[in-house]
Amino acid sequence: MKILYRYLNLELAIPIFWVMIGLIGILSFFDFIQEINDLGKGTYNLLSIFSYVVLSIPGHVYEIVPIAVLIGSMYAIGQLSENSELTVIRSSGYSIKHIAFTLSFTGLFFTLFTFAVGDLVTPLTEKKAQEIRITAKESIVTQEFRSGLWIKDSNSFINVEHVLPDTSLSNIRIYEFDNNFHLRTITNAKKANFKESEWKLEDVDQTIFNQDKISTISLKSANWKSLIKPEMMNVLLVSPEKMSSMGLIHFIKYLKNNRQKVTRYEIALWEKLIYPLASIAMVLFAIPFGFFQERSGGKNVKIFLGILFGIFYQIMNSGFRYIGLLNDWHPLSCAAIPTLIFFSIGVMMIYKTEHQ
């Protein structure tokens, strides 16, 4: 029994890994072609491009695992069926449900693998990749508006002209208001670095508004305590979908404290928890196609269908994400519906195939 378990899961896992390697190779090649156009900008040389492409691989792995599981599973199940191995296994007293349960352990492995890569590896490598790219090209992280980036922090509004790749800030303006939203101070600083739990401002000019007078002071340096942390600036380097779960939780908490909209980040958080489960759903979805092949179709058809359904799944994921943002749907439903649809279809097809 254990030998059969091991054999079935190994036969499923090997094609999945090969498909994954192939897809990663294609995506990395496209990354290289895209980045080669910027060769020579600043100090952006071939070594920088290769470093960026390599560091982008974990992000691609996280994105393509469910597709690789689907394509690899459909190929493996089709191969087992073509060699009449599924027929022999069923003749030995194994039901399709039992086969599905056995193969779901491969899906569970890739679920854990996807979560580990997406939550522990991708946030670090994606941030480093963007830092290398931006630093080498001698550019800045972001400019949300012509005046720079705007952030709300309690009763203060902060305008940052430039956020640098090391998350230090340049040309900062801090507008502080009282509880009645009367302007109290305007602080201008040339540069800010985060050290010892607070921001160290350099070349500071501060204008203070009192009821009867306005005064100005200049300081070479000053300390600024704020809820804003360098980790929060990572959202400018790394898209919410590639941030870690804890990073998203902290950022959502910060936005809620400042009464700002959090829907996009809540959807990303739920996707971070649910998306890895797609691997199990894809295995269950692929299993019935192996039994359909007993009557018609071939391996090439199964591979084509796997690619088609995999692309459709990614389109559904993106579609529900953006539609949910536009219509303010509950974040859990936006993240769960695509995976739930594939899981439900897979279970229903297994049940139907079993009782035919």
Side-chain angles (χ1 to χ4, degrees):
M1 194 74 71
K2 289 183 179 178
I3 294 174
L4 183 58
Y5 286 168
R6 194 180 301 116
Y7 174 76
L8 286 175
N9 282 288
L10 196 61
E11 285 294 303
L12 192 67
I14 290 174
I16 291 172
F17 274 115
W18 280 116
V19 172
M20 193 186 306
I21 291 169
L23 291 175
I24 290 168
I26 293 170
L27 293 174
S28 296
F29 176 74
F30 286 148
D31 281 346
F32 179 79
I33 294 299
Q34 183 177 345
E35 294 304 313
I36 205 74
N37 293 325
D38 293 331
L39 183 66
K41 289 185 179 179
T43 59
Y44 202 44
N45 53 27
L46 279 174
L47 180 60
S48 299
I49 291 174
F50 277 118
S51 299
Y52 173 80
V53 170
V54 170
L55 287 168
S56 298
I57 288 175
H60 292 320
V61 170
Y62 176 74
E63 291 171 347
I64 59 92
V65 166
I67 299 177
V69 169
L70 179 58
I71 298 171
S73 296
M74 294 190 78
Y75 172 82
I77 296 294
Q79 184 80 354
L80 289 171
S81 180
E82 191 175 89
N83 296 333
S84 300
E85 292 175 84
L86 286 180
T87 304
V88 173
I89 292 170
R90 290 191 70 188
S91 300
S92 303
Y94 262 60
S95 65
I96 298 177
K97 293 176 185 176
H98 201 165
I99 295 171
F101 177 76
T102 301
L103 294 177
S104 65
F105 285 98
T106 299
L108 178 61
F109 168 79
F110 282 102
T111 290
L112 298 175
F113 175 75
T114 305
F115 183 80
V117 171
D119 206 57
L120 303 177
V121 182
T122 298
L124 300 177
T125 56
E126 191 71 18
K127 179 174 180 289
K128 188 64 180 176
Q130 295 299 333
E131 285 179 354
I132 289 172
R133 186 171 182 266
I134 292 167
T135 303
K137 291 169 67 175
E138 298 177 356
S139 52
I140 59 172
V141 173
T142 188
Q143 273 190 275
E144 294 287 315
F145 303 99
R146 289 183 180 179
S147 56
L149 177 70
W150 286 87
I151 309 169
K152 183 177 182 294
D153 181 16
S154 189
N155 286 345
S156 298
F157 291 87
I158 300 98
N159 173 224
V160 181
E161 189 171 324
H162 298 312
V163 181
L164 303 178
D166 60 356
T167 63
S168 62
L169 314 177
S170 68
N171 296 334
I172 309 105
R173 299 177 185 85
I174 305 168
Y175 301 88
E176 185 181 351
F177 295 79
D178 61 21
N179 292 329
N180 295 318
F181 292 99
H182 296 140
L183 186 60
R184 291 176 54 191
T185 64
I186 299 176
T187 303
N188 295 304
K190 292 290 184 184
K191 195 172 181 182
N193 290 287
F194 194 81
K195 295 179 182 177
E196 299 175 359
S197 302
E198 60 184 8
W199 291 94
K200 307 292 183 181
L201 304 179
E202 299 177 13
D203 298 325
V204 181
D205 294 318
Q206 188 174 63
T207 303
I208 303 169
F209 297 88
N210 292 319
Q211 290 183 350
D212 53 348
K213 64 176 183 177
I214 300 174
S215 58
T216 303
I217 58 173
S218 296
L219 301 168
K220 194 166 186 179
S221 63
N223 296 331
W224 172 41
K225 288 190 176 182
S226 171
L227 293 174
I228 300 169
K229 301 291 187 290
E231 293 78 16
M232 295 177 182
M233 298 299 174
N234 288 344
V235 73
L236 305 176
L237 289 168
V238 182
S239 65
E241 291 74 28
K242 292 183 179 179
M243 292 173 66
S244 67
S245 298
M246 290 308 299
L248 284 167
I249 289 170
H250 290 317
F251 196 69
I252 289 168
K253 185 179 178 181
Y254 162 77
L255 292 176
K256 284 184 175 179
N257 288 338
N258 285 280
R259 298 178 181 179
Q260 297 184 52
K261 198 171 181 65
V262 297
T263 307
R264 183 187 178 191
Y265 300 96
E266 286 183 336
I267 292 174
L269 178 60
W270 280 111
E271 281 186 345
K272 184 70 67 174
L273 301 175
I274 293 171
Y275 184 72
L277 296 172
S279 294
I280 297 175
M282 294 305 174
V283 170
L284 297 178
F285 184 84
I287 287 170
F289 286 89
F291 297 96
F292 297 158
Q293 188 176 336
E294 292 175 356
R295 293 179 290 276
S296 62
K299 287 181 292 186
N300 293 334
V301 174
K302 298 301 175 285
I303 293 171
F304 174 75
L305 288 174
I307 295 171
L308 200 63
F309 286 127
I311 293 171
F312 180 66
Y313 174 75
Q314 291 292 2
I315 291 172
M316 282 184 64
N317 250 340
S318 300
F320 273 94
R321 183 188 307 141
Y322 293 117
I323 293 171
L325 279 172
L326 290 172
N327 295 285
D328 207 23
W329 290 353
H330 192 281
L332 175 58
S333 63
C334 298
I337 288 175
T339 301
L340 192 60
I341 288 173
F342 271 71
F343 179 83
S344 301
I345 293 173
V347 171
M348 285 190 294
M349 285 197 302
I350 289 172
Y351 180 82
K352 185 178 178 181
T353 306
E354 182 74 61
H355 291 83
Q356 277 183 347

